[in-house]
Amino acid sequence: MSRKITLLACMLTGTTLFAQKDTVTLDEVVVTANKLEQKQSTTGKVITVITKEQIEKSGGKTISQLLNEQAGITINGAFNNTGSVQTVYTRGASPGRTLILMDGIPLNDPSTITTDFDLNFFSVNDVERIEVCKGPQSTLYGSDAIAGVINIITVKKDTKKPFNIKATLSQGSLGTSRNNVQVFGKAGKLTYTTRFARLFTNGFSSAYDSTGVRNYDNDKYDGTVSSGQLSYQASHHLAFKAFLMYSQYKAGIDAGVFADDRDYNIHNKSLITGTGFQYKKGRVAITGNYQYSELTRNYRNDSAHKTSTWFEDNTYFGKSQFIELYASTRLGNGFTLLTGADYRYSSYNQNYFSVSAFGPFKSQFRDTSLSQTALYASVLFNSPYKKLNIELGGRYNDHSRYGNNSTYTFNPSYSFNDHLRVFGSISTGFKAPSLYQLSLNSKLNAEKSVNYEAGFSIQQQKFTTRLVYFNRRINNGIDYNYITFNYFNYVKQTVNGLEWELAASLGKAGFSANYTLLLSEEVTQNRLTTKDTVTYDYLLRRPKHHINLSANIDICKGLNIAVTGKYVSSRFDIGGYRRADISLPSYFILGASADYVLNERVRFFADAQNITGKKFFDARGFNAIPFLFNAGVTFNW
């Protein structure tokens, strides 16, 4: 009883206090930068880490919403109805130009036009941490890493007991329930983890009713994620692993911009499995990985609610395989050599059937495939006094369709002292054309980019900040020609930008913020006439100004309260076929959360999004979230 009174008193006395203690740490140990465990201060790459603690305090958010709070990243769809397409824009790059990794291994969907991997397949409860590495990373990670990579890490570390259980139960607005259970442990040389998560919500209408009188229905979402991991330490030097993740979700979707459809649903499935090993002895470490994945996307529109299409069944099936082997060797005098090779194979097919006012229609896209083989190497130098760090690397990529291409990276950094560090890079990236694009134009080449980057970071005990300038140029971007109705290497894009991150700690309180500025120029086909070339000084759905704010405070022992704010400036969206682009208004939304640790076994949390009920749009013709509330509890045994 006394504990309840104390908790209530803390909440009443603390409702007007705001600050942020979970600051962005600029010297985390990371693996994404160079495939080696290293401090952020020993690499010149721009890396942001979303820690396990930050993830656990965001129980009501999705992976996309967490990423959407980071400098330089916009996730279009993060604030739309659950199950919506999640389009990742990093530093203003187009869709499919940010590579998603799971535990360091690339993920993609060969059945989509831009090969984006669906972030809806991840449960936030299954994630241990996220590392975002911005700027071209194609030298180490290959195609799609033009703007950066997002490494979603699911592997648990420091498991000691043979049997552990962790369960999370939560309920929220719109009939939303989020449930997760994990069983994990370590017995001798064997470490295991099993997880199951389910997210259900009645949702809201995906399409926006601009008249306000058409009574659009809510679009539900029901998804589950099951996963398992095994690792076996065969000897002091050799370890093996195996993993599997099966995800599926059903979601209601609508007929399109401003258009409802009461029986249009998607049912998407993903299977990812694989194995690997790591051998470490002396100065040498060798890592091998194999991953196999299958993805099925089914769009089904039955005839109960007739729109322009009475019935539609559209099924895509994609398959991918990935094999890699790489080794790091410490050469002495601060030099490390990383060498590696990887092989990628992907294929997909499609079956389509529909009935409309024009009658039945059937089509089939038979199996088509491609493969890529690559060799890469990097030389890393860390000076004896930990001041100068240099990475110099290159990659040769051989593609079964268009031939070969190469990339390079030069990335130095210098620490003047324990607090001030400067860094920069000159690097290239590439995106291979997708199977669908190649099926229409077999002569497509890889899209290539050149990136320049410079910045500095200051890190003190109670204050950290980082400022980065970047410039990216693309001269042969892949786009769709609405005159020839085909894909071609056409787009020229230049993006200049700034990213500024700040975090300050004041004992029990603190504050953090980030700001992104995008200045862009894109030469592409005129979207209004489709008959000439136009230079646009903006990028669709990507704001020029983007600000995230966060503040929290420890009210009393175990209780933490936080407030967040997000500002997105005006930006343009497509107005329709051969119509002028439409400007979407800017918006500012507020969120709040509370986290109470009762003891080492029980943790309560609550999360509220868009607490003022602001009406805003991230995509023209589609609704964004209303006020949402979620609360729950996590148990550990």
Side-chain angles (χ1 to χ4, degrees):
M1 182 68 180
S2 61
R3 187 182 295 274
K4 293 181 181 179
I5 295 174
T6 302
L7 173 59
L8 179 61
C10 289
M11 294 177 68
L12 292 174
T13 59
T15 53
T16 60
L17 300 176
F18 307 103
Q20 165 69 30
K21 198 179 90 169
D22 292 326
T23 58
V24 177
T25 302
L26 296 182
D27 204 22
E28 291 270 355
V29 174
V30 297
V31 296
T32 310
N34 294 300
K35 298 197 172 188
L36 310 170
E37 285 195 353
Q38 61 186 125
K39 290 276 191 179
Q40 283 185 261
S41 60
T42 63
T43 175
K45 294 185 177 179
V46 179
I47 298 177
T48 299
V49 178
I50 305 175
T51 66
K52 180 62 176 176
E53 185 178 15
Q54 290 169 312
I55 293 171
E56 287 184 339
K57 289 185 178 181
S58 304
K61 297 180 181 178
T62 63
I63 294 291
S64 295
Q65 289 171 346
L66 285 173
L67 290 170
N68 206 32
E69 297 173 353
Q70 311 309 311
I73 295 181
T74 297
I75 310 287
N76 193 267
F79 290 136
N80 291 103
N81 197 30
T82 308
S84 299
V85 175
Q86 308 293 296
T87 304
V88 182
Y89 298 107
T90 301
R91 290 183 168 179
S94 300
R97 276 70 176 177
T98 303
L99 181 62
I100 306 299
L101 310 173
M102 186 176 77
D103 300 321
I105 301 176
L107 297 175
N108 61 65
D109 184 349
S111 70
T112 63
I113 294 175
T114 55
T115 68
D116 303 62
F117 187 80
D118 189 353
L119 290 174
N120 290 306
F121 284 131
F122 284 102
S123 167
V124 71
N125 299 103
D126 292 342
V127 178
E128 294 296 307
R129 58 192 269 125
I130 303 173
E131 295 179 4
V132 180
C133 188
K134 285 169 281 189
Q137 306 302 321
S138 290
T139 294
L140 290 183
Y141 293 105
S143 178
D144 299 8
I146 279 181
V149 298
I150 296 172
N151 191 5
I152 299 173
I153 299 171
T154 66
V155 176
K156 285 184 175 290
K157 286 191 173 182
D158 303 323
T159 301
K160 297 179 180 179
K161 296 190 299 181
F163 185 76
N164 305 267
I165 298 179
K166 182 177 182 179
T168 300
L169 307 172
S170 71
Q171 293 291 132
S173 308
L174 307 177
T176 301
S177 62
R178 302 170 187 264
N179 303 303
N180 169 269
V181 63
Q182 304 177 30
V183 179
F184 58 97
K186 182 177 182 180
K189 297 181 178 182
L190 183 68
T191 302
Y192 68 93
T193 303
T194 59
R195 299 181 173 102
F196 176 80
R198 181 176 184 242
L199 168 59
F200 173 84
T201 179
N202 288 317
F204 48 88
S205 174
S206 296
Y208 173 57
D209 178 6
S210 57
T211 68
V213 297
R214 294 175 180 168
N215 193 30
Y216 286 1
D217 73 318
N218 294 336
D219 293 305
K220 297 181 180 181
Y221 176 95
D222 190 354
T224 60
V225 182
S226 305
S227 63
Q229 298 169 347
L230 287 173
S231 64
Y232 181 73
Q233 193 72 40
S235 69
H236 182 69
H237 304 294
L238 181 62
F240 296 94
K241 69 175 182 179
F243 56 90
L244 181 146
M245 184 175 82
Y246 176 74
S247 308
Q248 68 85 31
Y249 67 89
K250 297 179 181 179
I253 56 178
D254 280 328
V257 177
F258 301 111
D260 187 34
D261 195 319
R262 297 173 188 171
D263 44 43
Y264 199 0
N265 299 282
I266 56 174
H267 188 190
N268 292 352
K269 303 174 185 178
S270 168
L271 171 67
I272 302 171
T273 186
T275 186
F277 75 91
Q278 187 171 63
Y279 175 83
K280 290 183 178 181
K281 187 174 183 179
R283 297 173 177 267
V284 178
I286 303 173
T287 302
N289 289 308
Y290 170 75
Q291 180 173 280
Y292 173 85
S293 64
E294 290 183 356
L295 296 106
T296 304
R297 296 183 294 126
N298 176 258
Y299 297 79
R300 189 176 181 88
N301 184 4
D302 67 30
S303 57
H305 178 222
K306 293 182 180 180
T307 56
S308 59
T309 300
W310 302 345
F311 177 83
E312 181 179 28
D313 188 89
N314 194 5
T315 301
Y316 298 81
F317 176 78
K319 181 170 61 177
S320 297
Q321 296 189 68
F322 175 81
I323 304 171
E324 72 172 344
L325 180 68
Y326 63 91
S328 64
T329 306
R330 288 184 283 116
L331 303 176
N333 297 319
F335 286 93
T336 300
L337 175 65
L338 178 73
T339 56
D342 66 48
Y343 171 80
R344 307 170 194 219
Y345 170 87
S346 58
S347 67
Y348 96 97
N349 58 58
Q350 177 193 9
N351 288 285
Y352 178 83
F353 177 74
S354 68
V355 179
S356 68
F358 299 99
F361 177 78
K362 184 177 182 180
S363 68
Q364 184 179 38
F365 190 93
R366 299 187 182 278
D367 275 312
T368 184
S369 64
L370 60 79
S371 62
Q372 302 176 64
T373 305
L375 299 172
Y376 58 88
S378 290
V379 176
L380 312 174
F381 173 73
N382 303 112
S383 63
Y385 298 101
K386 298 182 181 180
K387 289 185 176 292
L388 178 64
N389 305 282
I390 299 175
E391 177 191 0
L392 178 63
R395 182 186 189 93
Y396 174 82
N397 193 73
D398 186 62
H399 194 277
S400 63
R401 297 291 190 93
Y402 65 74
N404 60 73
N405 62 283
S406 60
T407 62
Y408 65 84
T409 297
F410 176 62
N411 183 206
S413 65
Y414 185 81
S415 298
F416 290 95
N417 49 47
D418 292 339
H419 307 296
L420 176 62
R421 187 166 64 97
V422 296
F423 49 87
S425 70
I426 303 173
S427 53
T428 59
F430 78 97
K431 176 173 178 58
S434 69
L435 280 165
Y436 180 78
Q437 292 166 340
L438 286 167
S439 72
L440 297 180
N441 183 357
S442 61
K443 296 181 180 180
L444 283 174
N445 291 315
E447 179 176 305
K448 300 175 184 177
S449 71
V450 179
N451 189 86
Y452 302 89
E453 189 175 81
F456 70 87
S457 64
I458 298 173
Q459 183 168 1
Q460 297 179 334
Q461 185 175 0
K462 296 184 177 181
F463 173 82
T464 60
T465 188
R466 178 167 63 193
L467 180 67
V468 183
Y469 162 79
F470 61 89
N471 170 277
R472 185 182 63 254
R473 298 178 183 178
I474 297 174
N475 292 317
N476 63 331
I478 301 172
D479 200 2
Y480 189 73
N481 188 325
Y482 283 94
I483 297 176
T484 63
F485 300 101
N486 207 338
Y487 288 91
F488 64 148
N489 293 98
Y490 185 73
V491 173
K492 295 182 179 180
Q493 185 189 88
T494 300
V495 179
N496 291 282
L498 287 175
E499 295 169 355
W500 178 51
E501 297 166 274
L502 168 70
S505 177
L506 302 171
K508 294 183 178 181
F511 174 81
S512 71
N514 64 66
Y515 166 70
T516 304
L517 169 68
L518 291 179
L519 301 173
S520 61
E521 183 178 279
E522 186 172 73
V523 181
T524 188
Q525 190 175 56
N526 190 322
R527 289 188 286 269
L528 181 59
T529 68
T530 70
K531 294 181 179 180
D532 57 354
T533 298
V534 171
T535 300
Y536 293 95
D537 61 357
Y538 58 84
L539 299 169
L540 292 173
R541 295 185 176 180
R542 281 149 281 184
K544 182 177 180 180
H545 305 282
H546 192 176
I547 301 172
N548 293 288
L549 306 170
S550 181
N552 93 9
I553 190 168
D554 288 332
I555 302 299
C556 55
K557 184 178 179 180
L559 177 63
N560 181 273
I561 295 178
V563 172
T564 60
K566 185 180 191 68
Y567 170 77
V568 174
S569 68
S570 61
R571 60 250 171 260
F572 283 88
D573 203 348
I574 297 175
Y577 178 62
R578 298 190 68 171
R579 294 185 179 181
D581 296 338
I582 301 295
S583 178
L584 299 178
S586 62
Y587 64 84
F588 179 77
I589 56 174
L590 286 169
S593 63
D595 182 77
Y596 179 66
V597 180
L598 180 66
N599 52 48
E600 63 179 7
R601 298 187 182 277
V602 182
R603 180 177 194 161
F604 296 94
F605 60 87
D607 178 84
Q609 300 185 61
N610 193 11
I611 58 179
T612 64
K614 171 75 175 178
K615 194 169 191 64
F616 67 100
F617 300 94
D618 266 340
R620 173 179 172 268
F622 293 94
N623 285 310
I625 59 171
F627 167 77
L628 295 178
F629 180 78
N630 176 80
V633 59
T634 297
F635 301 98
N636 288 279
W637 290 276

